[in-house]
Amino acid sequence: MTTAETISRPTIRQTQCFIGGEWIPAQSGKTFDTHHPATGEVIAAVAEGDVGDVDAAVEAARKAFDEGPWRTMDARERGRIMYRLADLIEAEFDELAALETLDNGKPISDSLAADLPLTIDCLRYYAGYADKIHGQTIPVNGNFFTYTKKEPVGVVGQIIPWNFPMLMVAWKWGPALAAGCTIVMKPAEQTPLTCLRMARLAQKAGIPDGVINIVPGYGPTAGAAIVAHPGVDKVAFTGEYKTAQIIMAEAAPTLKRLTFELGGKSPNIVFNDADLDAAAAGSHFALYFNQGQCCCAGSRLFVQEDIHDQFVEKLVNMNNDRVLGDPFSTATEQGPQVDQAQFDKIMDYIEIGKSEGAQCLTGGTADDAGNLYVKPTLFDGVTDEMKIATDEIFGPVLSILTFKDTEELIQRANNTFYGLAAAVWSRDIGKAHYVADRVRAGTVWVNCYDVFDAAAPFGGFKMSGLGRELGQEGLNNYLETKTVTVALD
Ligand code: NAI
Ligand code: MG
């Protein structure tokens, strides 16, 4: 048995706006506080960017795009610089993991095992793409030579959430940088610190000034200014679908390219012929990982009727064993929710679940491990129309629904305006593929959950998103196609 240790806290280095390669305070002089969720203490005052700061950032990004050298340098050199950024992040692996845990509250073991490795891998994956972006030659009628070129879309606005702060930076920067775009990014107001640290490392790696600009601040001010700015060609956003609706409307006058990665109410389906221990462990992980704050959380657990009792017993035991505590202790499996608003929203849903008549088998209350902790909560007897079965809760609250047969299951699994992810647990490979085919979701996991890879596209059907991130599809969103036709006589 390994003994738990407590990891020491990191030093906070960057707290200002990063514009044109300079660290500068917000024009207003205003700052906002960022907190350590587990204690509520203020850990830093961060520059609160607004319209003027966004204007300056877009100007720097425009200049860097129009004048180069990022867009115009040898593509292979662009790739080499991106590899260097990944190496610099790797060199500060422990420090960055601790900074993520400090700002977000996620257990240090998760930061070390998931956030950091996935961040580094994503940047390396897209670094390798930099010199492999090219068009086609097209046979057209007549005596003409026609070819296409793939060009960077331009200045991109990137607005990210707080649940995987560093990883969202990598998902956004990776394809944008490989394509030759320049960036104005707004990190979430809850978790700006690792993004700012990465900007410093990007500069050290040799990414030219103005290519990456960071404006910390709030959504309706700094975020909205990015969306409205005519100098921004594209907006990539991850967050709530209601925010995406506002962004889509605000982007209409300038017809920006948009990609969205939004929420979900993902069905996680366990058939009676599954390996029940693996399915139970996977279902626990699918929902409780990252304090339940995952866009693809397996929040609707469909269990086949005849295995219900034995399966639920396994889930109850795992919830009772889950270790809540100091995020800096390596023994901790679950930390606090990210902020008071998220905590309150989750507690409201727990009360709604109780009043709707679902049976609360574990949790159902706050936990005194610290500030903003919610006990792992399990609701049984949940029916399709209950709010806890339809709404994204974004916390450690799992709803169990039972089903009899496959056709009924598929209809119910699809009875949602979301379509981000789904999972199937079964030893019958034909049935698993059949369900994977019928479920309207951007990702389907079979006998696993939350398996992410930089090469595998991720995104939503229906109101879970627009476009895909990761893989080649993620890169395409940062490219424009130019068709060139040359008369040959
Ligand atoms: P949000 O969608 O409001 O925030 C995400 C990002 O968008 C933040 O950087 C925020 O500052 C920015 N933003 C907010 N309003 C904006 C606007 N009008 N214009 C431009 N940018 C804007 O999400 P929030 O409030 O943090 O969380 C609310 C709920 O959203 C959660 O409870 C969860 O259900 C869902 N959510 C889903 C995420 C996902 O990964 N799909 C991530 C975060 C939240
Ligand atoms: Mg919001």
Side-chain angles (χ1 to χ4, degrees), residues 32-185:
F32 65 98
D33 291 338
T34 182
H35 302 85
H36 179 43
T39 58
E41 75 200 84
V42 174
I43 50 174
V46 176
E48 185 190 328
D50 204 330
V51 181
D53 308 285
V54 167
D55 283 346
V58 174
E59 196 182 317
R62 246 344 332 148
K63 184 165 180 285
F65 185 76
D66 294 337
E67 297 175 12
W70 187 246
R71 176 172 63 91
T72 52
M73 73 173 60
D74 287 346
R76 211 152 291 162
E77 177 62 11
R78 225 172 29 238
R80 272 198 294 271
I81 294 172
M82 291 178 68
Y83 280 119
R84 211 140 61 214
L85 169 59
D87 292 346
L88 289 174
I89 293 169
E90 199 164 50
E92 293 191 5
F93 197 100
D94 292 352
E95 165 115 11
L96 279 161
L99 191 58
E100 196 74 315
T101 287
L102 184 66
D103 212 9
N104 169 281
K106 64 176 69 197
I108 187 70
S109 53
D110 287 351
S111 299
L112 290 167
D115 298 77
L116 263 290
L118 288 169
T119 296
I120 293 164
D121 191 61
C122 179
L123 290 170
R124 289 195 176 133
Y125 172 79
Y126 280 112
Y129 247 122
D131 62 353
K132 298 169 192 70
I133 298 168
H134 53 74
Q136 297 176 308
T137 59
I138 320 256
V140 296
N141 286 337
N143 203 13
F144 300 100
F145 172 51
T146 294
Y147 62 92
T148 57
K149 287 182 77 223
K150 293 288 184 185
E151 296 190 357
V153 72
V155 173
V156 299
Q158 301 185 321
I159 300 171
I160 57 172
W162 43 262
N163 52 344
F164 294 93
M166 279 195 82
L167 186 57
M168 292 300 101
V169 174
W171 284 26
K172 298 284 185 280
W173 286 7
L177 292 174
C181 294
T182 62
I183 295 167
V184 177
M185 172 169 269

Side-chain angles (χ1 to χ4, degrees), residues 217-230:
Y218 292 100
T221 51
I226 292 172
V227 173
H229 203 297

Side-chain angles (χ1 to χ4, degrees), residues 227-271:
V227 173
H229 203 297
V232 173
D233 299 288
K234 168 198 161 66
V235 169
F237 167 77
T238 298
E240 191 180 9
Y241 80 88
K242 289 177 187 156
T243 312
Q245 290 172 325
I246 296 170
I247 290 176
M248 195 175 235
E250 296 296 321
T254 47
L255 281 177
K256 288 186 174 60
R257 286 97 186 95
L258 296 173
T259 43
F260 293 148
E261 204 269 274
L262 311 174
K265 194 73 186 178
S266 299
N268 179 29
I269 301 156
V270 182
F271 283 99

Side-chain angles (χ1 to χ4, degrees), residues 309-329:
D309 292 356
Q310 52 170 312
F311 194 72
V312 169
E313 190 186 329
K314 292 178 197 294
L315 294 172
V316 167
N317 291 338
M318 278 184 283
N319 280 10
N320 289 337
D321 289 346
R322 194 163 176 80
V323 180
L324 278 62
D326 177 5
F328 282 98
S329 164

Side-chain angles (χ1 to χ4, degrees), residues 337 339-350 372 374:
Q337 306 309 129
D339 66 10
Q340 190 71 44
Q342 292 296 317
F343 175 87
D344 291 345
K345 175 181 162 186
I346 295 160
M347 296 312 292
D348 283 350
Y349 272 112
I350 289 174
L372 306 179
V374 179

Side-chain angles (χ1 to χ4, degrees), residues 293-311:
Q293 301 166 150
C294 294
C295 51
C296 53
S299 50
R300 285 186 297 151
L301 177 54
F302 285 97
V303 180
Q304 202 156 19
E305 213 175 45
D306 47 341
I307 52 156
H308 170 273
D309 292 356
Q310 52 170 312
F311 194 72

Side-chain angles (χ1 to χ4, degrees), residues 428-460:
D428 178 341
I429 195 72
K431 185 164 64 187
H433 280 292
Y434 178 74
V435 175
D437 181 65
R438 293 302 159 98
V439 172
R440 303 253 301 143
T443 290
V444 183
W445 287 294
V446 177
N447 294 329
C448 59
Y449 209 98
D450 274 351
V451 176
F452 279 92
D453 192 286
F458 182 78

